[in-house]
């Protein structure tokens, strides 16, 4: 076992392309299954009608903001641990892993309490007044159980930083399988409705995390040994995690804020029915993003090790090879969504109550499928900045891409030029494409400017 762990470390430090290939596929599969959790909820809830599906749609941006917060902290831990491994400072790497777990527990408690206190007011502001009772039922349960997301996300990041991608990914896949089983039981057999979907999501995440807990705290056979009894507080380690983690989390909050804003605009332009259609469509698009996100997370680990070893060649390889893999997947997936938009819409319109959504979903999907086309340029640029510990640079790219470009183009096309929902969707696509290309150009400029740092 120890020899295999050493091979994992050698791979991420010395063989960037092979490492990305090995790390990316399980991560992609796990992210697809994570997105399937949302799809599964949407499929079963859509059988209850448009209002429950819209209720889930209003909570989704808030939930994803917290998921993003968890993944952001994980990115900070992943980056720091990988950099220490690349620099062959293994004791610091292990100590950083322990601090990451402690930080995750503290943040989970604080964020759960804060969001539950403001959830009702937030949902009203988002325009959920027509379906407020159903939205609150779903939201209180999902947010109250957010621990089932935070702790697995941090443990997965620690495993990924060591190259143990299977241990990081397989439990996340298990979450979807458990959710598939629990959703129809809780929603229909027990008659809990939209609240049942929320309970299934939380319970599935908690049960699936148990293998991670066993591997990390009981079996303890990883390259880095996590012994909480050896915890010695080091504020510098917390700072180093948060330097990447907070900007990475803020990136997700910005993305979620933009999503909330677009939900509000969609309510104005098309009402609750349009929000339900957009919710269903975006879940499909989110699955299409999974390969790009998976490659980006793999590049974060490989890039962190390369930066710790001051190896510019490997760092650029992580960036450019990641972009190539991401582009291939985005072209294939965008084409598939465009061609098969009609059959795919049936996933959410199989019941008599939800059949009215079909044409709206097809129209939205044939535009929003292009959202992911140039996304690899922006995602990989941000991940490599995170790998170098430059969290604020990654955050700046997200602000440019989502908060400025997507909002600017969306508002311009939908309201100023009067193209309505079609304009709003087209603006999202144009904003992502423009911001992503700018991000890729900038990171190449940055690396060339600071090449003296590397060996």
């Amino acid at each position: 076992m120890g020899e295999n762990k050493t091979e994992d470390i050698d791979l991420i430090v010395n063989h960037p392309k092979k490492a990305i290939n090995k790390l990316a596929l399980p991560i992609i599969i796990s992210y697809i299954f994570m997105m399937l959790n949302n799809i599964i909820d949407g499929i079963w809830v859509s059988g209850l009608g448009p209002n429950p599906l819209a209720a889930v749609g209003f909570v989704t941006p808030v939930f994803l903001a917290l998921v993003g917060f968890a993944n952001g902290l994980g990115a900070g831990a992943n980056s720091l641990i990988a950099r220490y491994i690349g620099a062959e400072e293994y004791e610091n790497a292990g100590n950083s892993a322990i601090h990451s777990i402690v930080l995750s527990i503290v943040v989970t408690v604080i964020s759960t309490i804060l969001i539950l206190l403001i959830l009702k007011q937030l949902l009203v502001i988002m325009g959920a007044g027509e379906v407020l009772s159903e939205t609150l039922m779903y939201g209180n349960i999902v947010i109250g159980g957010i621990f089932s997301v935070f702790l697995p996300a941090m443990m997965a990041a620690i495993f990924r930083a060591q190259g143990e991608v299977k241990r990081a990914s397989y439990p996340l896949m298990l979450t979807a399988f458990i959710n598939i089983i629990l959703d129809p039981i809780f929603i229909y057999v027990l008659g809990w409705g939209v609240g049942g979907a929320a309970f299934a999501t939380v319970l599935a995440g908690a049960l699936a995390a148990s293998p991670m807990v066993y591997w990390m705290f009981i079996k303890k056979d990883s390259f880095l040994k996590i012994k909480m009894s050896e915890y010695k507080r080091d504020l510098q380690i917390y700072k180093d995690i948060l330097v990447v983690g907070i900007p990475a989390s803020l990136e997700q909050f910005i993305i979620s804020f933009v999503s909330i804003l677009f939900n509000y605009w969609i309510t104005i332009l098309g009402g609750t029915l349009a929000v339900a259609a957009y919710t269903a469509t975006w879940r499909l698009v989110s699955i299409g993003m999974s390969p790009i996100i998976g490659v980006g997370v793999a590049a974060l680990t490989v890039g962190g090790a390369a930066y710790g070893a001051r190896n510019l060649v490997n760092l650029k390889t992580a960036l450019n090879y990641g972009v190539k893999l991401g582009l291939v997947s985005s072209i294939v997936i965008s084409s598939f969504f465009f061609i098969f938009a009609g059959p795919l819409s049936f996933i959410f319109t199989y019941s008599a109550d939800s059949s009215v959504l079909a044409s709206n979903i097809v129209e939205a999907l044939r535009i929003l499928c292009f959202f992911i086309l140039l996304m690899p340029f922006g995602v990989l640029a941000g991940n490599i900045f995170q790998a170098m510990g430059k969290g604020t640079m990654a955050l700046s790219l997200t602000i440019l891409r989502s908060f400025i470009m997507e909002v600017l183009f969306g508002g311009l096309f939908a309201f100023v030029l009067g193209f309505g929902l079609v304009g709003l969707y087209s603006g999202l696509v144009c904003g992502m494409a423009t911001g992503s290309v700018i991000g890729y150009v900038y990171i190449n400029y940055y690396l060339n400017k600071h090449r003296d740092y590397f060996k």
Side-chain angles (χ1 to χ4, degrees):
M1 181 65 73
E3 184 179 344
N4 290 336
K5 304 307 176 188
T6 304
E7 289 176 2
D8 289 336
I9 299 300
D10 177 67
L11 193 68
I12 63 174
V13 172
N14 298 314
H15 307 282
K17 288 186 179 180
K18 290 181 180 179
I20 289 177
N21 288 336
K22 180 180 178 180
L23 293 172
L25 185 57
I27 295 172
I28 290 169
I29 295 173
S30 69
Y31 268 81
I32 289 174
F33 275 92
M34 286 174 64
M35 293 300 107
L36 277 175
N37 265 329
N38 286 329
I39 291 283
I40 292 161
D41 278 354
I43 291 171
W44 288 112
V45 171
S46 65
L48 300 171
N51 281 357
L53 184 59
V56 174
F58 281 115
V59 174
T60 296
V62 181
F63 176 71
L64 291 181
L66 288 172
V67 172
F69 190 19
N71 288 334
L73 292 178
N78 192 341
S79 173
L80 180 61
I81 295 168
R83 277 181 276 140
Y84 276 134
I85 288 174
E88 299 182 3
E89 297 179 24
Y90 302 129
E91 184 176 344
N92 286 334
N95 200 21
S96 298
I98 298 172
H99 279 68
S100 300
I101 295 294
V102 173
L103 180 64
S104 181
I105 293 171
V106 172
V107 170
T108 299
V109 174
I110 294 173
S111 59
T112 300
I113 294 171
L114 288 179
I115 297 299
L116 286 177
L117 287 174
I118 66 170
L119 184 61
K120 182 177 181 179
Q121 294 84 346
L122 181 60
L123 292 172
V124 170
I125 293 171
M126 290 168 61
E130 292 183 25
V131 290
L132 186 60
S133 61
E134 292 166 302
T135 306
L136 274 176
M137 180 187 297
Y138 185 82
N140 282 328
I141 297 168
V142 167
I143 303 304
I146 202 68
F147 67 90
S148 65
V149 171
F150 267 82
L151 295 179
M154 183 59 77
M155 288 188 287
I158 294 170
F159 282 128
R160 278 197 300 269
Q162 305 171 72
E164 293 189 87
V165 68
K166 292 180 180 179
R167 289 186 171 184
S169 304
Y170 288 171
L172 301 180
M173 302 177 202
L174 181 61
T175 302
F177 283 116
I178 297 175
N179 203 23
I180 289 172
I181 297 170
L182 295 182
D183 256 339
I185 296 174
F186 288 0
I187 295 172
Y188 296 107
V189 176
L190 298 179
W192 293 351
V194 72
F199 273 121
T201 297
V202 173
L203 186 56
L207 291 175
S210 56
M212 286 184 171
V213 174
Y214 171 73
W215 292 325
M216 185 168 290
F217 300 109
I218 300 175
K219 195 174 184 182
K220 298 180 182 178
D221 63 342
S222 296
F223 181 80
L224 300 177
K225 302 298 185 289
I226 311 300
K227 298 179 181 178
M228 301 302 293
S229 60
E230 297 180 0
Y231 169 70
K232 295 179 181 178
R233 188 178 64 179
D234 186 336
L235 295 181
Q236 184 61 44
I237 291 178
Y238 285 127
K239 178 182 176 182
D240 289 341
I241 294 171
L242 294 174
V243 160
V244 173
I246 289 180
S249 300
L250 288 175
E251 288 182 50
Q252 298 303 320
F253 276 110
I254 288 169
I255 292 170
S256 294
F257 173 79
V258 172
S259 181
I260 290 170
L261 176 62
F262 272 75
N263 266 342
Y264 177 69
W265 282 351
I266 290 168
T267 304
I268 294 174
L269 294 168
T272 301
L273 198 67
V275 173
Y278 175 73
T279 298
T281 304
W282 198 251
R283 287 168 188 256
L284 291 170
V285 173
S286 296
I287 284 189
M289 296 178 192
S290 298
I292 302 166
I293 295 172
V295 170
V297 173
L300 169 58
T301 299
V302 174
Y307 191 74
R310 301 198 176 208
N311 189 324
L312 180 60
V313 173
N314 283 2
L315 189 63
K316 283 193 170 184
T317 297
L319 170 65
N320 294 316
Y321 186 66
V323 168
K324 290 177 183 177
L325 290 180
L327 276 176
V328 170
S329 69
S330 65
I331 292 170
V332 172
I333 293 168
S334 296
S335 302
F336 178 80
F337 281 167
F338 186 86
I339 294 169
F340 295 101
L344 288 169
S345 71
F346 181 73
I347 295 173
F348 300 98
T349 59
Y350 60 88
S351 73
D353 289 331
S354 58
S355 59
V356 293
L357 299 174
S359 61
N360 303 65
I361 293 174
V362 171
E363 179 183 61
L365 186 56
R366 285 195 169 144
I367 299 172
L368 291 173
C369 66
F370 296 110
F371 181 83
I372 65 175
L373 194 59
L374 299 183
M375 190 178 177
F377 290 104
V379 169
L380 267 297
N383 282 129
I384 294 301
F385 271 127
Q386 290 174 347
M388 295 188 291
K390 313 294 181 184
T392 53
M393 302 301 298
L395 175 61
S396 299
L397 295 185
T398 299
I399 292 173
L400 172 68
R401 187 173 66 242
S402 295
F403 192 67
I404 298 177
M405 293 296 178
E406 290 176 14
V407 172
L408 178 64
F409 281 112
L412 175 65
F413 290 175
F415 299 106
V416 178
L417 299 180
F419 294 148
L421 285 173
V422 171
L424 197 63
Y425 301 152
S426 301
L428 263 174
V429 172
C430 291
M432 169 57 77
T434 305
S436 292
V437 171
I438 291 173
Y440 181 73
V441 170
Y442 181 72
I443 193 168
N444 277 285
Y445 164 78
Y446 184 93
L447 291 176
N448 290 330
K449 182 179 179 181
H450 295 88
R451 62 171 54 251
D452 289 344
Y453 167 83
F454 299 91
K455 294 178 181 177

